[in-house]
Amino acid sequence: MNKIKNNTVIFIILILTIFYESVLSKVIFGPNTPQPIQKDLEFNSNGKFKIIQFTDLHYGEADYKDDLSNQVQNGVLTAEPDGDLVVMTGDSVSGYAWNGTEGWFIEKWIHLVEPMIKHNIRWAFTLGNHDDEADLDRVQIVELDNTFNLSLTQRGPSDIRGATNYYLPITDPSSGEVATILYFFDSGDDNCQGVEGWGCVYPDQIEWYRTVSMGLREKYGRVVPAIAFMHIPIPEYMDMWNFYPVNGSLYDTGVCCFSVNTGLFAAFKEMGDIISMHCGHDHDNDFIGEYNGVQLGYGRKSGYGGYGPPTGWKHGARVLEITANPFSISTYLRFDDGSTEITPSSHLPQAKEQYNTCCDTYGFVNVTGNSYSNCKLYEENFLSENPFLFEINQNHHKKINNKK
């Protein structure tokens, strides 16, 4: 019976989204809607490829916030007309704001992809910890997104943790060879391996990455430089802030990283292909630096839902411009008003560690004395101010836990 119900839900989702995308395209473009010629990613004639990273859009909390988030996306995309791909690194929707009605998530998703459709730019995403707290689970969200022509998102292997574990190659047309690989990892929600705190990339996902990386090395006869995207940061971000020079700021309650260090960074070093990693999750952090030969960076909080960014910060996106030959990456922040931050503030290593463990894990303390993350505090306050949503949220989580 459950299988029949799930299939029915998926069918309804597909029909509705195909209809809405058709209507939306006509509203934005008129009857002659431009369609991408192909979904294969390629460097341009100048050997460049530009990625625009939106993170923590948090649609769904209020219509006016969604409209403001939409304006941010449009502002950034207008200022970056040569963008090749939008990458969304999780918490695109505040699932905890679900009002209990079917079709709620579809409505929010249609709104948040509207700017990409308007600008005719392809996108790919990985899931965050809040996206599946509403009426669609992680697999259904991927299936919904796949109904949009511009989506390059893929559902990863069904026999490992998470739904958004996949990779996208970028070809250099001047040589006909794959010049870069984009990896997407599903970092889950919370309590990695049953340990209190935040989610992680599990060992079976890491083994999947090793297998894929080795296969690509054998296929192309060389190590292809790669970039990794996920929502929740790895613990090495915290070490980097404590002991390495970085650009940007940390105003959040520390680094809300994996509650268990599952060895993802060690796997990156072992395989030797990941040269840059980018995440979201901590809305008040935007620092970036190099940690033992790998660039680790946050995006800029894009949406108006959720907490942050700090007072005085603009909403926006991180832009990555990749050069194929010789391979290099340049990055900067692009804001909703079209301005940029090419040279961010710098932070030098401290004489002693500022943060001793990932926030919301046992023993967490930081320089502010706050032992509770902004993320958890915001969600609790949001639901306490909306008792009806709180009841829906609690009942929904009970059903999910009963299925596990």
Side-chain angles (χ1 to χ4, degrees):
M1 181 64 71
N2 287 335
K3 184 175 182 180
I4 294 173
K5 183 178 180 181
N6 287 339
N7 289 338
T8 302
V9 170
I10 293 171
F11 177 75
I12 293 172
I13 289 171
L14 292 174
I15 294 299
L16 286 175
T17 50
I18 290 170
F19 169 76
Y20 278 119
E21 186 185 21
S22 174
V23 171
L24 184 60
S25 296
K26 289 179 181 178
V27 169
I28 294 174
F29 295 119
N32 297 317
T33 304
Q35 300 294 340
I37 296 173
Q38 60 179 352
K39 292 197 172 185
D40 295 332
L41 299 176
E42 290 185 345
F43 285 84
N44 64 23
S45 58
N46 295 319
K48 306 288 187 181
F49 188 91
K50 184 176 286 187
I51 297 172
I52 299 166
Q53 179 200 1
F54 290 128
T55 193
D56 296 274
L57 286 160
H58 277 275
Y59 274 72
E61 295 182 16
D63 289 344
Y64 80 92
K65 289 185 178 181
D66 294 350
D67 290 340
L68 289 170
S69 298
N70 210 264
Q71 290 175 25
V72 172
Q73 293 169 270
N74 276 309
V76 169
L77 293 174
T78 298
E80 297 286 350
D82 57 344
D84 296 292
L85 179 71
V86 166
V87 170
M88 296 184 285
T89 49
D91 282 1
S92 300
V93 175
S94 295
Y96 50 78
W98 179 41
N99 62 9
T101 61
E102 290 188 16
W104 180 88
F105 191 97
I106 296 174
E107 178 185 347
K108 307 309 171 187
W109 199 260
I110 289 169
H111 196 187
L112 77 87
V113 301
E114 178 185 315
M116 282 83 83
I117 295 175
K118 178 180 179 181
H119 290 268
N120 199 35
I121 184 170
R122 294 165 291 185
W123 72 81
F125 78 88
T126 187
L127 290 160
N129 53 290
H130 289 306
D131 292 307
D132 66 341
E133 291 182 305
D135 51 323
L136 298 187
D137 62 30
R138 297 176 96 76
V139 171
Q140 289 172 331
I141 293 170
V142 174
E143 291 172 341
L144 163 62
D145 191 62
N146 287 162
T147 63
F148 292 92
N149 191 45
L150 289 167
S151 170
L152 302 185
T153 307
Q154 297 177 18
R155 179 186 174 183
S158 60
D159 58 346
I160 63 174
R161 281 275 192 161
T164 47
N165 303 295
Y166 62 101
Y167 69 94
L168 298 174
I170 310 176
T171 302
D172 180 2
S174 66
S175 65
E177 296 183 346
V178 170
T180 308
I181 301 291
L182 306 181
Y183 282 99
F184 297 79
F185 294 90
D186 190 329
S187 56
D189 41 33
D190 55 16
N191 300 340
C192 174
Q193 294 185 318
V195 176
E196 184 177 358
W198 292 104
C200 64
V201 174
Y202 271 71
D204 60 350
Q205 297 169 263
I206 297 174
E207 191 56 37
W208 163 81
Y209 155 68
R210 282 197 184 97
T211 301
V212 170
S213 179
M214 183 62 70
L216 293 174
R217 180 184 304 184
E218 293 174 355
K219 179 178 179 179
Y220 299 118
R222 58 192 169 85
V223 175
V224 180
I227 303 173
F229 295 98
M230 67 195 71
H231 181 64
I232 298 174
I234 57 178
E236 284 78 7
Y237 274 68
M238 180 175 57
D239 292 340
M240 185 175 73
W241 175 265
N242 283 335
F243 305 119
Y244 292 74
V246 302
N247 290 321
S249 302
L250 188 162
Y251 287 120
D252 219 305
T253 42
V255 177
C256 293
C257 40
F258 299 1
S259 62
V260 174
N261 191 334
T262 53
L264 182 58
F265 185 82
F268 290 166
K269 295 297 291 182
E270 174 190 353
M271 302 313 299
D273 55 353
I274 301 292
I275 47 83
S276 185
M277 174 193 157
H278 299 271
C279 69
H281 189 51
D282 300 335
H283 302 180
D284 292 350
N285 295 345
D286 69 353
F287 65 85
I288 186 169
E290 184 173 314
Y291 179 83
N292 291 315
V294 179
Q295 182 184 63
L296 304 179
Y298 279 101
R300 168 56 68 95
K301 172 72 162 61
S302 303
Y304 274 80
Y307 71 93
T311 302
W313 283 23
K314 299 175 183 178
H315 294 76
R318 179 168 292 285
V319 178
L320 304 172
E321 187 169 57
I322 311 168
T323 301
N325 187 26
F327 184 87
S328 66
I329 300 175
S330 64
T331 182
Y332 55 90
L333 298 178
R334 174 70 71 181
F335 304 121
D336 53 347
D337 62 0
S339 63
T340 61
E341 182 183 57
I342 301 295
T343 307
S345 59
S346 61
H347 175 267
L348 297 176
Q350 304 298 299
K352 62 179 181 178
E353 65 181 15
Q354 290 182 286
Y355 299 91
N356 68 327
T357 188
C358 301
C359 51
D360 296 313
T361 57
Y362 181 78
F364 170 71
V365 293
N366 66 29
V367 292
T368 68
N370 191 343
S371 61
Y372 205 51
S373 73
N374 286 334
C375 181
K376 288 189 179 294
L377 186 62
Y378 179 87
E379 182 177 353
E380 286 195 3
N381 288 340
F382 178 87
L383 292 174
S384 67
E385 294 169 2
N386 297 274
F388 173 67
L389 298 181
F390 176 80
E391 184 177 352
I392 292 171
N393 187 273
Q394 293 299 302
N395 290 335
H396 183 56
H397 278 279
K398 287 179 182 178
K399 289 181 181 178
I400 292 175
N401 291 331
N402 289 335
K403 291 179 180 179
K404 293 180 178 180

